[in-house]
Amino acid sequence: MVTIRRATPADLLAMQHCNLQCLPENYQIKYYMYHLLSWPHLLYVAEESDGTVVGYVLAKMEESAGTSDASAGVSSSTGSNQAAPTRHGHITGLMQIAHETMREEYKVTYVSLHVRVSNQAAQHLYKDSLGYQIHATEVRYYADGEDAYDMRLWFVPSRSRKHD
Amino acid sequence: MTPLPTAVVGAAQPRKTALPPKEQSLFKQMFRLYEIKQYKKANKTADQILRAVPEHGETLAMKGLILRALDQREEAYDLARRGLRQDIRSQVAWHILGLLHRHDREYKEASKAYQQALRLDPNNAQLLRELSPLQAHTRDFEGLLRTREQMLQQRPTLRLNWIGLAVANHLLCRHEEALQVLDAWERISAKYRFGIDAADQIDSSLLCEYRLRLLEEACADEAALKYAQTCLSDGKILDRTVLLSTAARVAERSGDRALARTYYWQLLERNPDNADYLEGVVRNDTSGSDVVSLLDAISERLGQRESARWSTLDEAPVLGCALGALRHLDGKSLEFQERVKKLMRWFLETAHAPSLFRLIEQFYQDRAKTQTIDVVFRSLVGADMAGVTDEATALFAAEHCLRVTGDAHRAIEILEKFPDSADCVALCAHMWRSVGAYRRAYEAAERARCLDQRDRALNSLAAEYALLAGRSDRALELIFMFTHDGETPPVQAIYNLQVMWFELAYADAALAEGRLDRALKYYTAVLRHFADFREDEFDFHAYCLRKSTISAYVDLVRWEDRLNEHTYYQRAVRGAVHCYLALHRDRSSVTTRLARLRIRKNASAPSKAISETSSSKRTSRRARTPGWMEVDPEGTSLVDVPAPLAEAEKLVFPLLMQATSPAQLPDQLLSAIFEVALESSRYVLAARAVVASLRDATSAETLSPTALRLMVRLSRAAINPSPVTELVKSELNVMLAGIHARSWQHLCEEFFRQRGALDLASVNALAAATGDASYFERGLALLHEAGVHPRLDDVEEAWSLAHSLNVSNEAKATLRAWYPLADVLT
């Protein structure tokens, strides 16, 4: 069974490994360190019972108050043993717990994330399982020139929003 | 380069070394130019001053700082030192020397220079501020404490200074004092109402969280619990995860199980995907009911709680409870059988979820449970497994089959019915790999990769197996497909992005091919990453105090101190030591020149992948400084070091010398230290490594294979009579007595008697240390008789030993029978 728990510095290398295994945007350890030491409560890992990190979420707060940004990654470093349905289970759980912490601690009104326009599986997951909506398109957001959707999840009902 | 702050220049007091007015204004101008990074102009101004006052100390030092910014390292230090000689009482000159060292990551040297500067100007706030991270970084916590005390005395109204002092105390494990500092700050800030930014709830929450942590670490259970309860009601700590889990731990530790259970339950409700919380609830249950019914009740209660997300079996916490119950039930019971069946049907027939095996893998250690699982599975798919008609079932069937029968062929046959499923083909690859058939593993991994070329995990798998199969060039091509870092050439990108798993696997493969240069390059790459991780910490000493993320900071510092426990680091050290020792031995033999020529020749013909890289580099328009990997990508300069043994010593001896408790060093590192010590005839150091490897062993039975190997090798090496070997021999006798052995020969017999029929690693250690083939042959026969199935890597090690010891064909046949498909054994 996969456990979701808060990340500690001892998870930094495993998170980096997980990211290198599954996503095309990669970062040096110092970037993960910066996240962990800036928002220590907003990093979570999904861990197999043998201690292998199979997923993580790095979330952060934007400088302007009340908003936040989140990104998620998930790995399948053991090939077939981590096939699609389970992977999504981790992402949902990881994202939800990060959302809850952001609401509780930072009182955010919404969360936003960027997703590749071509990545329909992820969009589907964010939309249907987590309730995100496409907010805007950012042209050539990724290094390879692809556009990104800025997707947002609002924690307050739309009527009470001052602006969208 | 960090600009030299104005405070330093301002502090340049008119002394007898003061400049005439005109030069004084030039000095200020030079400093301004330096600050706005006009280094060349600043340098000219420095020369202008020096023409008028040729040996002016502070100007010389400043010129040094300027030249450092212009990348003239040697000249910079020369000038800074010359400046100091002229004006040894100038804190500016000392400060500059400190800055130079800090820039070059020589933090101990930097710290010394700063302390000299402070001796001349004891209350210079800036010097203190810059010194404190240096002391934290070099783990001079005593010094840090003094610096922090001084900073607080200077500005007691600053919150940061109080936290800084508390942290310094904490790092010295002076919890009481740290708490007193926090208390004092709280009192003062409440009384005078300064320094509190009421709006910044987060900062104050983080500080409260830190206090709670200190209380817990100080083992002040009662106070910690009381504080946690206060925070739970007044909401001072915003993060309830930290708060509740600390409260749960402390309540449990102080024996209040009912309270601990309440907290664990709240945690579980907040995050049902956490096995530790579930265990906490069960462990602290006071109802007296049995574990299984308890888990059922928890499952039901949580399942009712919220959305349908937890109503099905594949999600925590229902799944967690279901697995927990299976762990506690008897494998032969009907209850176990029915529950396994329910789980299996849900996963295979309803959800078609491929993760079933991973979940129940833990039960295969229990023979009765394995049997029941087998019965249940066959009742679902038929005795001949004819009912395996979908991928999820095939994945489970194959893993189950391999585990029950050990027949990889049969398991792979099941999977091969689904050649279009990337998951099935990838699992085939895993299975081939697990029986040592690396070529076939690689071929399967390539097929899986082609089925979904956007899946990076499949790409990594193919690259990893390509290396095992001896296809290094192909592995590089594969890894390049996904590793991008702007316009950086891929070889450098792998390094920049710290893709350590690949660097290590690539180095291992290079070593297997006899490419010492390339292997050393990639092992060194990993060692450099670890040095960088240590370096990365530096900025956070100040940053975390500002951000109030102190608890995470303390975790970081402690983690950094244990970096050498990471397997990547240990593999890199071992690999690099192996290379250096091989180079050392090679160099002292007649074949040296030939071997070196071969290396050169290979190095001059880089693989296709690399040459493509360098051509793409040429076409890139912007000039870039080539990275560490681009300069000498095949490690030619590394194998050309004049004294490879000295390099190995530099790598491993500090590990032993600096370890507060050498017994905590892992076997891998102790072996590496030992090998180097023996090669350089440093018997005393070698003996220290052996002592460390003994750990708590009291007899041959509890001795680790590594400890045995090192002990025997040392006994056999220290035979030439000399004062040192006499010392080592007496040390060895003490060690032998400690494990009730009369001599090393007696120890070997005893070790063989206890462990010979248990595991191959022990037999390997005996044979390798004594060079005695009879241990090997007798051991293999015993293991075979006992029905032991050794691990693949132990068998591979045994195979290479079998060749060097020239053992019987019978023994070789035994090894082959364990892994008949393994590439290396055929």
Side-chain angles (χ1 to χ4, degrees), chain B residues 313-314 318-320 322-323 326 336-351 353 356 359-360 363 376 380:
Chain B
L313 247 178
D314 68 333
V318 182
L319 179 61
L323 292 172
L326 288 174
F336 180 85
Q337 186 173 346
E338 295 203 328
R339 282 176 187 246
V340 162
K341 189 165 195 167
K342 191 176 158 207
L343 194 70
M344 223 178 247
R345 293 189 75 138
W346 201 92
F347 269 86
L348 300 182
E349 292 173 2
T350 313
L356 178 64
L359 293 171
I360 63 171
F363 304 130
V376 172
L380 293 182

PDB file of all heavy atoms in Angstrom, chain B residues 313-314 318-320 322-323 326 336-351 353 356 359-360 363 376 380:
ATOM      1  N   LEU B 313     -12.460  -0.954  -2.910  1.00  0.00           N
ATOM      2  CA  LEU B 313     -11.345  -1.634  -2.278  1.00  0.00           C
ATOM      3  C   LEU B 313      -9.970  -1.132  -2.691  1.00  0.00           C
ATOM      4  O   LEU B 313      -8.990  -1.364  -1.996  1.00  0.00           O
ATOM      5  CB  LEU B 313     -11.441  -3.120  -2.626  1.00  0.00           C
ATOM      6  CG  LEU B 313     -11.744  -4.039  -1.461  1.00  0.00           C
ATOM      7  CD1 LEU B 313     -11.844  -5.456  -1.960  1.00  0.00           C
ATOM      8  CD2 LEU B 313     -10.661  -3.945  -0.394  1.00  0.00           C
ATOM      9  N   ASP B 314      -9.886  -0.434  -3.818  1.00  0.00           N
ATOM     10  CA  ASP B 314      -8.540  -0.105  -4.290  1.00  0.00           C
ATOM     11  C   ASP B 314      -7.999   1.162  -3.672  1.00  0.00           C
ATOM     12  O   ASP B 314      -6.926   1.619  -4.015  1.00  0.00           O
ATOM     13  CB  ASP B 314      -8.520   0.002  -5.817  1.00  0.00           C
ATOM     14  CG  ASP B 314      -9.307   1.196  -6.299  1.00  0.00           C
ATOM     15  OD1 ASP B 314     -10.224   1.602  -5.577  1.00  0.00           O
ATOM     16  OD2 ASP B 314      -8.988   1.708  -7.372  1.00  0.00           O
ATOM     17  N   VAL B 318      -9.690   1.894   3.040  1.00  0.00           N
ATOM     18  CA  VAL B 318     -10.320   0.574   3.010  1.00  0.00           C
ATOM     19  C   VAL B 318      -9.268  -0.488   2.704  1.00  0.00           C
ATOM     20  O   VAL B 318      -9.190  -1.530   3.341  1.00  0.00           O
ATOM     21  CB  VAL B 318     -11.451   0.556   1.961  1.00  0.00           C
ATOM     22  CG1 VAL B 318     -12.137  -0.787   1.962  1.00  0.00           C
ATOM     23  CG2 VAL B 318     -12.439   1.664   2.261  1.00  0.00           C
ATOM     24  N   LEU B 319      -8.438  -0.161   1.733  1.00  0.00           N
ATOM     25  CA  LEU B 319      -7.400  -1.103   1.349  1.00  0.00           C
ATOM     26  C   LEU B 319      -6.404  -1.319   2.481  1.00  0.00           C
ATOM     27  O   LEU B 319      -6.003  -2.449   2.759  1.00  0.00           O
ATOM     28  CB  LEU B 319      -6.675  -0.565   0.110  1.00  0.00           C
ATOM     29  CG  LEU B 319      -5.540  -1.411  -0.404  1.00  0.00           C
ATOM     30  CD1 LEU B 319      -6.028  -2.773  -0.823  1.00  0.00           C
ATOM     31  CD2 LEU B 319      -4.848  -0.726  -1.564  1.00  0.00           C
ATOM     32  N   GLY B 320      -6.012  -0.249   3.120  1.00  0.00           N
ATOM     33  CA  GLY B 320      -5.057  -0.362   4.221  1.00  0.00           C
ATOM     34  C   GLY B 320      -5.584  -1.291   5.292  1.00  0.00           C
ATOM     35  O   GLY B 320      -4.858  -2.141   5.825  1.00  0.00           O
ATOM     36  N   ALA B 322      -7.910  -3.592   4.873  1.00  0.00           N
ATOM     37  CA  ALA B 322      -8.036  -4.946   4.337  1.00  0.00           C
ATOM     38  C   ALA B 322      -6.688  -5.659   4.399  1.00  0.00           C
ATOM     39  O   ALA B 322      -6.600  -6.827   4.800  1.00  0.00           O
ATOM     40  CB  ALA B 322      -8.553  -4.880   2.903  1.00  0.00           C
ATOM     41  N   LEU B 323      -5.626  -4.952   4.016  1.00  0.00           N
ATOM     42  CA  LEU B 323      -4.298  -5.571   4.032  1.00  0.00           C
ATOM     43  C   LEU B 323      -3.845  -5.843   5.464  1.00  0.00           C
ATOM     44  O   LEU B 323      -3.235  -6.877   5.753  1.00  0.00           O
ATOM     45  CB  LEU B 323      -3.287  -4.675   3.325  1.00  0.00           C
ATOM     46  CG  LEU B 323      -3.484  -4.514   1.819  1.00  0.00           C
ATOM     47  CD1 LEU B 323      -2.542  -3.458   1.283  1.00  0.00           C
ATOM     48  CD2 LEU B 323      -3.266  -5.831   1.099  1.00  0.00           C
ATOM     49  N   LEU B 326      -5.363  -8.975   6.612  1.00  0.00           N
ATOM     50  CA  LEU B 326      -4.712 -10.143   6.007  1.00  0.00           C
ATOM     51  C   LEU B 326      -3.381 -10.451   6.686  1.00  0.00           C
ATOM     52  O   LEU B 326      -2.985 -11.604   6.818  1.00  0.00           O
ATOM     53  CB  LEU B 326      -4.489  -9.915   4.510  1.00  0.00           C
ATOM     54  CG  LEU B 326      -5.745  -9.961   3.634  1.00  0.00           C
ATOM     55  CD1 LEU B 326      -5.413  -9.583   2.208  1.00  0.00           C
ATOM     56  CD2 LEU B 326      -6.381 -11.342   3.680  1.00  0.00           C
ATOM     57  N   PHE B 336      -9.063 -15.896   5.964  1.00  0.00           N
ATOM     58  CA  PHE B 336      -7.996 -15.370   5.101  1.00  0.00           C
ATOM     59  C   PHE B 336      -8.343 -15.644   3.636  1.00  0.00           C
ATOM     60  O   PHE B 336      -8.262 -14.774   2.782  1.00  0.00           O
ATOM     61  CB  PHE B 336      -6.656 -16.011   5.479  1.00  0.00           C
ATOM     62  CG  PHE B 336      -5.498 -15.523   4.645  1.00  0.00           C
ATOM     63  CD1 PHE B 336      -4.823 -14.355   4.973  1.00  0.00           C
ATOM     64  CD2 PHE B 336      -5.089 -16.219   3.498  1.00  0.00           C
ATOM     65  CE1 PHE B 336      -3.770 -13.889   4.199  1.00  0.00           C
ATOM     66  CE2 PHE B 336      -4.044 -15.759   2.717  1.00  0.00           C
ATOM     67  CZ  PHE B 336      -3.384 -14.596   3.077  1.00  0.00           C
ATOM     68  N   GLN B 337      -8.737 -16.894   3.390  1.00  0.00           N
ATOM     69  CA  GLN B 337      -9.045 -17.297   2.018  1.00  0.00           C
ATOM     70  C   GLN B 337     -10.143 -16.411   1.418  1.00  0.00           C
ATOM     71  O   GLN B 337     -10.021 -15.927   0.286  1.00  0.00           O
ATOM     72  CB  GLN B 337      -9.469 -18.760   2.016  1.00  0.00           C
ATOM     73  CG  GLN B 337      -9.668 -19.301   0.610  1.00  0.00           C
ATOM     74  CD  GLN B 337      -9.911 -20.796   0.628  1.00  0.00           C
ATOM     75  OE1 GLN B 337      -9.689 -21.475   1.625  1.00  0.00           O
ATOM     76  NE2 GLN B 337     -10.378 -21.315  -0.484  1.00  0.00           N
ATOM     77  N   GLU B 338     -11.193 -16.198   2.173  1.00  0.00           N
ATOM     78  CA  GLU B 338     -12.310 -15.423   1.626  1.00  0.00           C
ATOM     79  C   GLU B 338     -11.939 -13.966   1.397  1.00  0.00           C
ATOM     80  O   GLU B 338     -12.345 -13.368   0.405  1.00  0.00           O
ATOM     81  CB  GLU B 338     -13.506 -15.540   2.567  1.00  0.00           C
ATOM     82  CG  GLU B 338     -13.960 -16.985   2.584  1.00  0.00           C
ATOM     83  CD  GLU B 338     -15.397 -17.187   2.986  1.00  0.00           C
ATOM     84  OE1 GLU B 338     -15.871 -16.380   3.801  1.00  0.00           O
ATOM     85  OE2 GLU B 338     -15.992 -18.149   2.484  1.00  0.00           O
ATOM     86  N   ARG B 339     -11.154 -13.452   2.308  1.00  0.00           N
ATOM     87  CA  ARG B 339     -10.753 -12.055   2.140  1.00  0.00           C
ATOM     88  C   ARG B 339      -9.806 -11.873   0.958  1.00  0.00           C
ATOM     89  O   ARG B 339      -9.899 -10.893   0.223  1.00  0.00           O
ATOM     90  CB  ARG B 339     -10.110 -11.533   3.422  1.00  0.00           C
ATOM     91  CG  ARG B 339     -11.142 -11.192   4.489  1.00  0.00           C
ATOM     92  CD  ARG B 339     -10.460 -10.778   5.761  1.00  0.00           C
ATOM     93  NE  ARG B 339     -11.410 -10.610   6.836  1.00  0.00           N
ATOM     94  CZ  ARG B 339     -11.682  -9.430   7.408  1.00  0.00           C
ATOM     95  NH1 ARG B 339     -11.064  -8.350   7.016  1.00  0.00           N
ATOM     96  NH2 ARG B 339     -12.554  -9.362   8.371  1.00  0.00           N
ATOM     97  N   VAL B 340      -8.886 -12.815   0.803  1.00  0.00           N
ATOM     98  CA  VAL B 340      -7.992 -12.734  -0.351  1.00  0.00           C
ATOM     99  C   VAL B 340      -8.803 -12.816  -1.634  1.00  0.00           C
ATOM    100  O   VAL B 340      -8.553 -12.076  -2.600  1.00  0.00           O
ATOM    101  CB  VAL B 340      -6.939 -13.871  -0.305  1.00  0.00           C
ATOM    102  CG1 VAL B 340      -6.315 -14.058  -1.672  1.00  0.00           C
ATOM    103  CG2 VAL B 340      -5.862 -13.557   0.701  1.00  0.00           C
ATOM    104  N   LYS B 341      -9.771 -13.680  -1.620  1.00  0.00           N
ATOM    105  CA  LYS B 341     -10.592 -13.868  -2.813  1.00  0.00           C
ATOM    106  C   LYS B 341     -11.318 -12.568  -3.161  1.00  0.00           C
ATOM    107  O   LYS B 341     -11.354 -12.147  -4.323  1.00  0.00           O
ATOM    108  CB  LYS B 341     -11.591 -14.983  -2.568  1.00  0.00           C
ATOM    109  CG  LYS B 341     -12.344 -15.409  -3.823  1.00  0.00           C
ATOM    110  CD  LYS B 341     -13.017 -16.735  -3.594  1.00  0.00           C
ATOM    111  CE  LYS B 341     -13.463 -17.343  -4.909  1.00  0.00           C
ATOM    112  NZ  LYS B 341     -13.820 -18.737  -4.743  1.00  0.00           N
ATOM    113  N   LYS B 342     -11.871 -11.941  -2.149  1.00  0.00           N
ATOM    114  CA  LYS B 342     -12.613 -10.699  -2.370  1.00  0.00           C
ATOM    115  C   LYS B 342     -11.678  -9.631  -2.983  1.00  0.00           C
ATOM    116  O   LYS B 342     -12.012  -8.968  -3.956  1.00  0.00           O
ATOM    117  CB  LYS B 342     -13.170 -10.208  -1.030  1.00  0.00           C
ATOM    118  CG  LYS B 342     -14.173  -9.086  -1.164  1.00  0.00           C
ATOM    119  CD  LYS B 342     -14.762  -8.726   0.196  1.00  0.00           C
ATOM    120  CE  LYS B 342     -15.321  -7.317   0.147  1.00  0.00           C
ATOM    121  NZ  LYS B 342     -15.308  -6.676   1.454  1.00  0.00           N
ATOM    122  N   LEU B 343     -10.491  -9.536  -2.384  1.00  0.00           N
ATOM    123  CA  LEU B 343      -9.508  -8.561  -2.857  1.00  0.00           C
ATOM    124  C   LEU B 343      -9.133  -8.841  -4.313  1.00  0.00           C
ATOM    125  O   LEU B 343      -9.092  -7.954  -5.166  1.00  0.00           O
ATOM    126  CB  LEU B 343      -8.273  -8.648  -1.958  1.00  0.00           C
ATOM    127  CG  LEU B 343      -7.258  -7.529  -2.038  1.00  0.00           C
ATOM    128  CD1 LEU B 343      -7.828  -6.258  -1.451  1.00  0.00           C
ATOM    129  CD2 LEU B 343      -5.990  -7.918  -1.291  1.00  0.00           C
ATOM    130  N   MET B 344      -8.855 -10.104  -4.573  1.00  0.00           N
ATOM    131  CA  MET B 344      -8.400 -10.510  -5.894  1.00  0.00           C
ATOM    132  C   MET B 344      -9.481 -10.257  -6.943  1.00  0.00           C
ATOM    133  O   MET B 344      -9.204  -9.747  -8.025  1.00  0.00           O
ATOM    134  CB  MET B 344      -8.071 -11.991  -5.844  1.00  0.00           C
ATOM    135  CG  MET B 344      -6.792 -12.333  -6.553  1.00  0.00           C
ATOM    136  SD  MET B 344      -6.478 -14.078  -6.373  1.00  0.00           S
ATOM    137  CE  MET B 344      -5.042 -14.067  -5.384  1.00  0.00           C
ATOM    138  N   ARG B 345     -10.697 -10.624  -6.609  1.00  0.00           N
ATOM    139  CA  ARG B 345     -11.796 -10.433  -7.562  1.00  0.00           C
ATOM    140  C   ARG B 345     -11.980  -8.950  -7.837  1.00  0.00           C
ATOM    141  O   ARG B 345     -12.204  -8.551  -8.980  1.00  0.00           O
ATOM    142  CB  ARG B 345     -13.092 -11.023  -7.005  1.00  0.00           C
ATOM    143  CG  ARG B 345     -13.046 -12.513  -6.885  1.00  0.00           C
ATOM    144  CD  ARG B 345     -14.411 -13.028  -6.546  1.00  0.00           C
ATOM    145  NE  ARG B 345     -15.226 -12.968  -7.760  1.00  0.00           N
ATOM    146  CZ  ARG B 345     -16.045 -13.939  -8.123  1.00  0.00           C
ATOM    147  NH1 ARG B 345     -16.183 -15.015  -7.376  1.00  0.00           N
ATOM    148  NH2 ARG B 345     -16.751 -13.826  -9.213  1.00  0.00           N
ATOM    149  N   TRP B 346     -11.869  -8.161  -6.784  1.00  0.00           N
ATOM    150  CA  TRP B 346     -12.074  -6.736  -6.999  1.00  0.00           C
ATOM    151  C   TRP B 346     -11.018  -6.187  -7.950  1.00  0.00           C
ATOM    152  O   TRP B 346     -11.317  -5.506  -8.916  1.00  0.00           O
ATOM    153  CB  TRP B 346     -12.044  -5.962  -5.671  1.00  0.00           C
ATOM    154  CG  TRP B 346     -12.749  -4.662  -5.855  1.00  0.00           C
ATOM    155  CD1 TRP B 346     -14.058  -4.403  -5.629  1.00  0.00           C
ATOM    156  CD2 TRP B 346     -12.186  -3.472  -6.397  1.00  0.00           C
ATOM    157  NE1 TRP B 346     -14.365  -3.125  -5.987  1.00  0.00           N
ATOM    158  CE2 TRP B 346     -13.234  -2.524  -6.464  1.00  0.00           C
ATOM    159  CE3 TRP B 346     -10.924  -3.106  -6.841  1.00  0.00           C
ATOM    160  CZ2 TRP B 346     -13.050  -1.236  -6.940  1.00  0.00           C
ATOM    161  CZ3 TRP B 346     -10.728  -1.816  -7.326  1.00  0.00           C
ATOM    162  CH2 TRP B 346     -11.789  -0.898  -7.367  1.00  0.00           C
ATOM    163  N   PHE B 347      -9.775  -6.529  -7.658  1.00  0.00           N
ATOM    164  CA  PHE B 347      -8.683  -5.973  -8.462  1.00  0.00           C
ATOM    165  C   PHE B 347      -8.676  -6.508  -9.881  1.00  0.00           C
ATOM    166  O   PHE B 347      -8.459  -5.772 -10.835  1.00  0.00           O
ATOM    167  CB  PHE B 347      -7.334  -6.253  -7.790  1.00  0.00           C
ATOM    168  CG  PHE B 347      -6.920  -5.151  -6.876  1.00  0.00           C
ATOM    169  CD1 PHE B 347      -7.363  -5.140  -5.568  1.00  0.00           C
ATOM    170  CD2 PHE B 347      -6.131  -4.116  -7.321  1.00  0.00           C
ATOM    171  CE1 PHE B 347      -7.013  -4.114  -4.721  1.00  0.00           C
ATOM    172  CE2 PHE B 347      -5.776  -3.082  -6.478  1.00  0.00           C
ATOM    173  CZ  PHE B 347      -6.216  -3.080  -5.178  1.00  0.00           C
ATOM    174  N   LEU B 348      -8.897  -7.817 -10.021  1.00  0.00           N
ATOM    175  CA  LEU B 348      -8.717  -8.423 -11.340  1.00  0.00           C
ATOM    176  C   LEU B 348      -9.978  -8.378 -12.176  1.00  0.00           C
ATOM    177  O   LEU B 348      -9.917  -8.210 -13.383  1.00  0.00           O
ATOM    178  CB  LEU B 348      -8.218  -9.867 -11.188  1.00  0.00           C
ATOM    179  CG  LEU B 348      -6.871  -9.995 -10.462  1.00  0.00           C
ATOM    180  CD1 LEU B 348      -6.436 -11.443 -10.407  1.00  0.00           C
ATOM    181  CD2 LEU B 348      -5.796  -9.141 -11.139  1.00  0.00           C
ATOM    182  N   GLU B 349     -11.147  -8.529 -11.547  1.00  0.00           N
ATOM    183  CA  GLU B 349     -12.368  -8.637 -12.341  1.00  0.00           C
ATOM    184  C   GLU B 349     -13.116  -7.309 -12.443  1.00  0.00           C
ATOM    185  O   GLU B 349     -13.707  -7.010 -13.471  1.00  0.00           O
ATOM    186  CB  GLU B 349     -13.276  -9.725 -11.754  1.00  0.00           C
ATOM    187  CG  GLU B 349     -12.666 -11.114 -11.930  1.00  0.00           C
ATOM    188  CD  GLU B 349     -13.446 -12.207 -11.226  1.00  0.00           C
ATOM    189  OE1 GLU B 349     -14.494 -11.902 -10.625  1.00  0.00           O
ATOM    190  OE2 GLU B 349     -12.988 -13.353 -11.263  1.00  0.00           O
ATOM    191  N   THR B 350     -13.113  -6.531 -11.377  1.00  0.00           N
ATOM    192  CA  THR B 350     -13.874  -5.275 -11.418  1.00  0.00           C
ATOM    193  C   THR B 350     -13.002  -4.119 -11.893  1.00  0.00           C
ATOM    194  O   THR B 350     -13.328  -3.427 -12.853  1.00  0.00           O
ATOM    195  CB  THR B 350     -14.432  -4.944 -10.021  1.00  0.00           C
ATOM    196  OG1 THR B 350     -15.039  -6.127  -9.502  1.00  0.00           O
ATOM    197  CG2 THR B 350     -15.467  -3.840 -10.098  1.00  0.00           C
ATOM    198  N   ALA B 351     -11.867  -3.909 -11.212  1.00  0.00           N
ATOM    199  CA  ALA B 351     -11.074  -2.714 -11.487  1.00  0.00           C
ATOM    200  C   ALA B 351     -10.049  -2.925 -12.594  1.00  0.00           C
ATOM    201  O   ALA B 351      -9.561  -1.978 -13.175  1.00  0.00           O
ATOM    202  CB  ALA B 351     -10.373  -2.269 -10.214  1.00  0.00           C
ATOM    203  N   ALA B 353      -7.102  -3.580 -12.173  1.00  0.00           N
ATOM    204  CA  ALA B 353      -5.970  -2.776 -11.716  1.00  0.00           C
ATOM    205  C   ALA B 353      -4.715  -3.642 -11.630  1.00  0.00           C
ATOM    206  O   ALA B 353      -4.756  -4.743 -11.102  1.00  0.00           O
ATOM    207  CB  ALA B 353      -6.281  -2.184 -10.349  1.00  0.00           C
ATOM    208  N   LEU B 356      -2.099  -5.380  -8.041  1.00  0.00           N
ATOM    209  CA  LEU B 356      -2.407  -6.366  -7.009  1.00  0.00           C
ATOM    210  C   LEU B 356      -1.165  -7.042  -6.428  1.00  0.00           C
ATOM    211  O   LEU B 356      -1.026  -7.166  -5.216  1.00  0.00           O
ATOM    212  CB  LEU B 356      -3.379  -7.430  -7.569  1.00  0.00           C
ATOM    213  CG  LEU B 356      -3.732  -8.546  -6.595  1.00  0.00           C
ATOM    214  CD1 LEU B 356      -4.477  -8.009  -5.392  1.00  0.00           C
ATOM    215  CD2 LEU B 356      -4.588  -9.621  -7.283  1.00  0.00           C
ATOM    216  N   LEU B 359       0.781  -5.225  -3.845  1.00  0.00           N
ATOM    217  CA  LEU B 359       0.099  -5.080  -2.567  1.00  0.00           C
ATOM    218  C   LEU B 359       0.223  -6.320  -1.701  1.00  0.00           C
ATOM    219  O   LEU B 359       0.398  -6.230  -0.489  1.00  0.00           O
ATOM    220  CB  LEU B 359      -1.387  -4.783  -2.790  1.00  0.00           C
ATOM    221  CG  LEU B 359      -1.700  -3.436  -3.424  1.00  0.00           C
ATOM    222  CD1 LEU B 359      -3.161  -3.362  -3.799  1.00  0.00           C
ATOM    223  CD2 LEU B 359      -1.347  -2.327  -2.445  1.00  0.00           C
ATOM    224  N   ILE B 360       0.113  -7.479  -2.343  1.00  0.00           N
ATOM    225  CA  ILE B 360       0.086  -8.686  -1.505  1.00  0.00           C
ATOM    226  C   ILE B 360       1.424  -9.424  -1.506  1.00  0.00           C
ATOM    227  O   ILE B 360       1.555 -10.488  -0.912  1.00  0.00           O
ATOM    228  CB  ILE B 360      -1.079  -9.644  -1.873  1.00  0.00           C
ATOM    229  CG1 ILE B 360      -0.927 -10.169  -3.299  1.00  0.00           C
ATOM    230  CG2 ILE B 360      -2.423  -8.949  -1.717  1.00  0.00           C
ATOM    231  CD1 ILE B 360      -1.941 -11.269  -3.593  1.00  0.00           C
ATOM    232  N   PHE B 363       2.829 -11.091   1.577  1.00  0.00           N
ATOM    233  CA  PHE B 363       2.317 -12.335   2.162  1.00  0.00           C
ATOM    234  C   PHE B 363       3.043 -13.581   1.648  1.00  0.00           C
ATOM    235  O   PHE B 363       2.867 -14.667   2.171  1.00  0.00           O
ATOM    236  CB  PHE B 363       0.815 -12.474   1.900  1.00  0.00           C
ATOM    237  CG  PHE B 363       0.030 -11.303   2.408  1.00  0.00           C
ATOM    238  CD1 PHE B 363      -0.885 -10.658   1.607  1.00  0.00           C
ATOM    239  CD2 PHE B 363       0.245 -10.810   3.694  1.00  0.00           C
ATOM    240  CE1 PHE B 363      -1.595  -9.557   2.064  1.00  0.00           C
ATOM    241  CE2 PHE B 363      -0.450  -9.717   4.164  1.00  0.00           C
ATOM    242  CZ  PHE B 363      -1.369  -9.087   3.343  1.00  0.00           C
ATOM    243  N   VAL B 376      -6.645 -19.798  -4.337  1.00  0.00           N
ATOM    244  CA  VAL B 376      -7.672 -18.830  -4.702  1.00  0.00           C
ATOM    245  C   VAL B 376      -7.493 -18.370  -6.156  1.00  0.00           C
ATOM    246  O   VAL B 376      -8.440 -18.322  -6.936  1.00  0.00           O
ATOM    247  CB  VAL B 376      -7.627 -17.613  -3.745  1.00  0.00           C
ATOM    248  CG1 VAL B 376      -8.552 -16.508  -4.234  1.00  0.00           C
ATOM    249  CG2 VAL B 376      -8.006 -18.036  -2.351  1.00  0.00           C
ATOM    250  N   LEU B 380      -9.881 -18.883  -9.675  1.00  0.00           N
ATOM    251  CA  LEU B 380     -10.397 -17.803 -10.531  1.00  0.00           C
ATOM    252  C   LEU B 380     -10.025 -17.997 -12.001  1.00  0.00           C
ATOM    253  O   LEU B 380     -10.813 -17.702 -12.888  1.00  0.00           O
ATOM    254  CB  LEU B 380      -9.866 -16.439 -10.059  1.00  0.00           C
ATOM    255  CG  LEU B 380     -10.339 -15.920  -8.707  1.00  0.00           C
ATOM    256  CD1 LEU B 380      -9.755 -14.546  -8.430  1.00  0.00           C
ATOM    257  CD2 LEU B 380     -11.860 -15.838  -8.651  1.00  0.00           C
TER     258      LEU B 380
END
